[in-house]
Amino acid sequence: MENNKKIKPNSYYSIQYWMINELGLKGLELSIYAIIYGFSRDHCGAFTGSRSYLADFTNSTKAGVDKALKSLIQKNLLAKKDFVNHGIKNCIYVAKEVANLVSYQSTELGGVANSVSQGSQLSCPNNIEDNIEDNTLSLEVKHFGLYGNVILNDELYDRLLIESEEYADEYINRLDSHIEMHQLHKQYSAYAPNQFFIKIFDMLRRDGHVEG
């Protein structure tokens, strides 16, 4: 099979037993739900990839992916949101919360199926918030992510790249999509650039992509 450069060599998704036992999923629907759940579990993030990505990752076809996505939406297991970016229609998918399954949820996910925890505290190891120098907070801020909901300055963004060059942009987009999908603009409008940095750093750390 030809190597697919769109998928990182160490990527994987986690199929948890409750997806089979409680949801009754199997085959392609099970694989696709597990992938999307990995991006959107714990109420943060969304799957913004393409149908081609899902087809390649599950060794299936676009037609098969479309059928599985439609079925999962009809079963009320996925939420879909359409958007237009530069005149091109795209969509994002989020795995809906499944009641009474919290005790089944694994916290050991990596690769494509990384857990992303929303949390209520912006906590990072080694007092990282104390290590953000005051002069970084006065720099010009920029909007990051597909929707521009994440606000950072160049120095904070560079620090994220230093901490995790491979995953920094992915996690910025996860937080950006989470804000857009759940209409949390008002809540995050009070965030300063350093708070966005800490939030994203915390997400990276919890998924094992930075040391700490």
Side-chain angles (χ1 to χ4, degrees):
M1 183 176 178
E2 184 180 354
N3 184 36
N4 191 319
K5 295 181 179 180
K6 292 186 295 183
I7 301 175
K8 297 172 184 177
N10 63 339
S11 296
Y12 66 91
Y13 56 91
S14 176
I15 293 177
Q16 302 180 51
Y17 184 62
W18 58 264
M19 297 176 183
I20 302 171
N21 187 49
E22 299 293 331
L23 303 185
L25 296 175
K26 60 182 179 180
L28 187 56
E29 287 187 25
L30 174 61
S31 295
I32 289 178
Y33 179 84
I35 292 171
I36 296 175
Y37 176 82
F39 277 104
S40 55
R41 72 190 300 270
D42 295 333
H43 315 287
C44 191
F47 178 77
T48 60
S50 65
R51 292 175 302 146
S52 296
Y53 179 92
L54 290 173
D56 291 337
F57 204 15
T58 57
N59 196 27
S60 59
T61 64
K62 286 185 181 180
V65 168
D66 286 341
K67 183 178 179 180
L69 288 170
K70 183 177 180 180
S71 177
L72 289 167
I73 292 171
Q74 289 175 341
K75 292 176 180 178
N76 203 32
L77 296 177
L78 292 184
K80 176 185 176 182
K81 181 176 181 180
D82 296 322
F83 65 93
V84 177
N85 183 34
H86 300 297
I88 301 175
K89 182 179 179 181
N90 295 281
C91 56
I92 59 178
Y93 294 92
V94 173
K96 289 191 175 182
E97 179 182 3
V98 182
N100 302 321
L101 291 179
V102 176
S103 61
Y104 295 101
Q105 294 177 3
S106 168
T107 58
E108 297 179 355
L109 295 175
V112 163
N114 290 321
S115 63
V116 184
S117 180
Q118 179 182 6
S120 58
Q121 299 295 324
L122 300 176
S123 59
C124 290
N126 303 322
N127 294 320
I128 192 165
E129 51 266 63
D130 294 334
N131 295 328
I132 300 176
E133 298 179 4
D134 291 339
N135 59 4
T136 70
L137 306 182
S138 62
L139 298 176
E140 178 185 358
V141 299
K142 298 180 180 179
H143 293 266
F144 290 80
L146 180 64
Y147 302 100
N149 292 316
V150 174
I151 299 175
L152 298 165
N153 56 45
D154 287 337
E155 185 162 340
L156 292 173
Y157 175 66
D158 288 344
R159 287 191 60 175
L160 286 174
L161 291 178
I162 292 171
E163 294 290 348
S164 183
E165 182 177 4
E166 183 176 4
Y167 291 99
D169 288 330
E170 176 183 331
Y171 277 69
I172 288 172
N173 284 321
R174 288 192 183 195
L175 180 57
D176 175 62
S177 297
H178 168 67
I179 295 170
E180 188 69 25
M181 186 71 180
H182 298 284
Q183 295 297 298
L184 299 176
H185 307 90
K186 184 176 180 180
Q187 174 183 331
Y188 280 87
S189 65
Y191 271 41
N194 63 314
Q195 290 177 294
F196 278 104
F197 171 87
I198 293 168
K199 177 72 173 179
I200 296 164
F201 183 94
D202 192 43
M203 291 161 61
L204 288 163
R205 178 182 62 83
R206 291 180 182 181
D207 287 349
H209 299 312
V210 296
E211 296 181 0

